[in-house]
Amino acid sequence: MAEITSAAVTSHILMSPRTVEDQAARVFNGMLQIGRHLRAAKPDVLVIVSSDHLFNIPLGTPARFLIGTGASLMPFGDMDVPREEFRGYPEFANAFANFAAASGVAIEPLERFSPDHGTAVPLMFANPDHDIPVVPVLVNYSRDPTPAPNECWQLGETLARFISVARPATERVALLGAGGLSHWVGYAQSRVNEAFDRSFLAAVTGGELAPWRAKSAAEIEREAGNGGLEIMSWLTVLAAAPQSRPEIIYYEPMVSWMTGMGGALLHLPGHAAQ
Amino acid sequence: MTDACDGNVNALLGRLFQEPGLLQRLRSDREAVFREAGLSPQQCAALREGSPDALARVGADPILRMHYLMASNPEIAGHVTIRDFLDDLRKERRGG
């Protein structure tokens, strides 16, 4: 059986540090630490669970989950992300889509996928040399209705089973869940729900995620905004690494960035903290 | 209340970053772009105003509102960018 050798979760955006230099530095350093942790385990593949912000997946696309199956992942370039190619991993991605389908979880293959900031920014930290093959898994938050937290949990459990039973024994897999925390995208008022963010982070570190799995997407959106739905990318990875010990690395309620920014390492049994 | 033709707004905003040249045309001759997209007078007025609330009134999807703000408001485009971090990110590379 293959092995998950490192895992983490993080917000997936950066903005201008002007006027918030100290907060921005803490976020940036936290993301650096998370990236170094993931690649210190020398993964053969990096599976990133994130979202697309309507740059690749058109409004009205019915799929709950999608997966980039191409050999090349050229960033879309939004937010001035450099258009420097990451390597895909078609064999892993297609095999996972097939395995998931057989397990009752539909994941739509996306042969052409140009990662927007949601995938590309975390990769710039986790894969700065662009040498680790990447499998991008996307939760379609623009779908109506949005996938439910429990569906994302099942996706994560399916991913863990796939790695455990269907991958080569020597394969080392890194997992990264990207997005969140609370934010309202496309609204006039810049808001962060710090209480919501801290409550979620406490549940992550306390391993008390059952109530979060039971929430509806509408409930999360009401409390944390349309961008807050992205905590389901975290839930997906947490479900794939249920034995992990999460450690919060950074949290900053960044109103000027229109988002709560957070990140955590998921320490895995048998793998020393980096 | 949303405009009856709000699908036209989302269709146009969804094409902004997909269709080569459209972004430039929006900046150089937005009225022609609006006309070709079949927008109603209310929709055109909302896009001219360009605020999230105005875009919401004509049924623009929230994420696509952000696309439009990025495309039409240089101040927002200058804020929602990672470029201030690129030099430090390059240092993470082997030999960086």
Side-chain angles (χ1 to χ4, degrees):
Chain A
M1 59 189 270
E3 192 180 10
I4 299 170
T5 52
S6 56
V9 286
T10 182
S11 296
H12 64 203
I13 204 165
L14 294 166
M15 293 189 199
S16 170
R18 279 186 293 275
T19 74
V20 288
E21 286 83 356
D22 291 347
Q23 278 189 301
R26 289 193 290 272
V27 167
F28 185 74
N29 288 331
M31 292 171 96
L32 284 178
Q33 186 179 345
I34 286 169
R36 289 169 186 158
H37 174 88
L38 288 171
R39 61 185 191 274
K42 301 194 183 314
D44 299 307
V45 53
L46 171 58
V47 179
I48 178 168
V49 181
S50 189
S51 54
D52 178 73
H53 302 78
L54 299 178
F55 289 107
N56 291 266
I57 305 171
L59 200 60
T61 298
R64 286 173 164 75
F65 307 115
L66 301 97
I67 190 165
T69 57
S72 166
L73 300 167
M74 177 63 80
F76 190 86
D78 60 311
M79 294 181 61
D80 298 313
V81 171
R83 299 198 75 233
E84 297 170 357
E85 178 184 65
F86 292 93
R87 291 165 53 200
Y89 197 163
E91 187 272 330
F92 187 112
N94 284 306
F96 178 46
N98 291 335
F99 181 92
S103 305
V105 177
I107 309 178
E108 186 171 308
L110 204 54
E111 170 65 25
R112 288 185 186 173
F113 173 58
S114 298
D116 72 10
H117 70 271
T119 298
V121 168
L123 287 181
M124 292 174 74
F125 290 89
N127 195 6
D129 291 299
H130 296 236
D131 56 348
I132 307 167
V134 174
V135 176
V137 176
L138 304 164
V139 181
N140 186 4
Y141 298 114
S142 293
R143 182 185 190 276
D144 187 16
T146 300
N150 204 42
E151 291 176 293
C152 293
W153 192 268
Q154 288 166 3
L155 173 68
E157 289 178 329
T158 305
L159 175 60
R161 261 199 322 279
F162 169 69
I163 293 165
S164 172
V165 306
R167 297 305 299 168
T170 56
E171 192 165 66
R172 301 169 64 81
V173 183
L175 302 182
L176 178 56
L181 296 168
S182 65
H183 59 296
W184 282 257
V185 181
Y187 291 86
Q189 195 181 359
S190 181
R191 293 173 59 193
V192 172
N193 186 342
E194 184 175 348
F196 173 93
D197 292 344
R198 292 198 183 277
S199 169
F200 178 62
L201 294 174
V204 167
T205 51
E208 294 158 357
L209 293 167
W212 291 84
R213 287 170 54 188
K215 283 180 187 282
S216 68
E219 204 175 341
I220 293 173
E221 185 167 1
R222 211 163 32 243
E223 293 180 56
N226 52 344
L229 292 167
E230 294 167 356
I231 65 164
M232 287 192 259
S233 299
W234 288 41
L235 292 176
T236 305
V237 167
L238 286 158
Q243 305 303 322
S244 65
R245 180 179 58 79
E247 176 194 7
I248 304 303
I249 298 301
Y250 72 94
Y251 175 71
E252 298 291 335
M254 300 196 67
V255 177
S256 77
W257 287 10
M258 303 174 269
T259 182
M261 295 287 299
L265 299 179
L266 309 184
H267 297 291
L268 299 162
H271 293 275
Q274 303 290 332
Chain B
M1 182 185 290
T2 59
D3 192 292
C5 302
D6 59 7
N8 288 352
V9 171
N10 283 326
L12 172 62
L13 302 188
R15 285 164 45 216
L16 277 183
F17 288 93
Q18 304 291 337
E19 194 173 303
L22 183 58
L23 201 52
Q24 290 70 25
R25 287 196 62 226
L26 179 79
R27 288 167 179 157
S28 63
D29 190 1
R30 71 178 180 185
E31 298 303 323
V33 170
F34 293 169
R35 208 167 37 246
E36 287 162 18
L39 302 188
S40 69
Q42 296 96 322
Q43 291 170 329
C44 292
L47 266 62
R48 282 185 210 109
E49 182 181 332
S51 70
D53 286 344
L55 297 171
R57 280 198 299 275
V58 292
D61 174 85
I63 303 291
L64 293 176
R65 288 178 219 158
M66 200 66 202
H67 285 210
Y68 188 73
L69 291 170
M70 296 282 287
S72 62
N73 187 328
E75 194 178 327
I76 290 179
H79 179 65
V80 184
T81 170
I82 69 162
R83 63 175 166 247
D84 287 299
F85 299 94
L86 289 175
D87 287 345
D88 285 332
L89 275 167
R90 286 193 188 97
K91 292 177 190 159
E92 278 298 280
R93 297 179 176 181
R94 280 190 287 272

